[in-house]
Amino acid sequence: TAEGGQEALALIRDPNQSFAVHLVDVIMPGSDSQEILNAILDRDPAAQVLMSCGFSRDYVRSILAPGPWKFIQKPFDPKALLATVNRLAAQPLSS
């Protein structure tokens, strides 16, 4: 977990870290969510990325570049989040 954008970027760029799924809050302190998304996909273009926001999917799509990321709107039920993360983690990597 990361407290803000700069900490998230440091974790993403750390070669000793590995991630099955990235859960990224679109609105986060010290964050440019597009920069975080780019860092994730630069490291691994096949990464499973779940963007989260209290604003609508349409709003998020208007501020982020199109790409292989998924979306879950807040507030979400913890069981729905867990099911979504598990589904993404179980997907085979695309080539």
Side-chain angles (χ1 to χ4, degrees):
T1 61
E3 294 284 327
Q6 294 308 307
E7 189 177 340
L9 286 170
L11 287 171
I12 293 162
R13 293 176 176 149
D14 182 345
N16 296 315
Q17 298 289 328
S18 65
F19 306 91
V21 176
H22 298 267
L23 175 60
V24 180
D25 194 339
V26 173
I27 310 296
M28 173 173 35
S31 157
D32 174 343
S33 50
Q34 185 64 58
E35 181 182 12
I36 291 171
L37 180 59
N38 290 346
I40 293 167
L41 296 175
D42 286 347
R43 178 178 170 170
D44 179 4
Q48 296 293 346
V49 183
L50 182 59
M51 304 302 287
S52 175
C53 188
F55 295 108
S56 72
R57 178 185 315 265
D58 290 338
Y59 170 78
V60 173
R61 287 190 177 169
S62 76
I63 65 167
L64 294 178
W69 51 271
K70 310 296 187 279
F71 176 77
I72 188 166
Q73 187 168 1
K74 292 190 230 174
F76 43 75
D77 177 76
K79 289 180 184 176
L81 175 62
L82 184 59
T84 301
V85 168
N86 285 336
R87 186 178 69 249
L88 290 174
Q91 289 182 359
L93 297 176
S94 56
S95 49

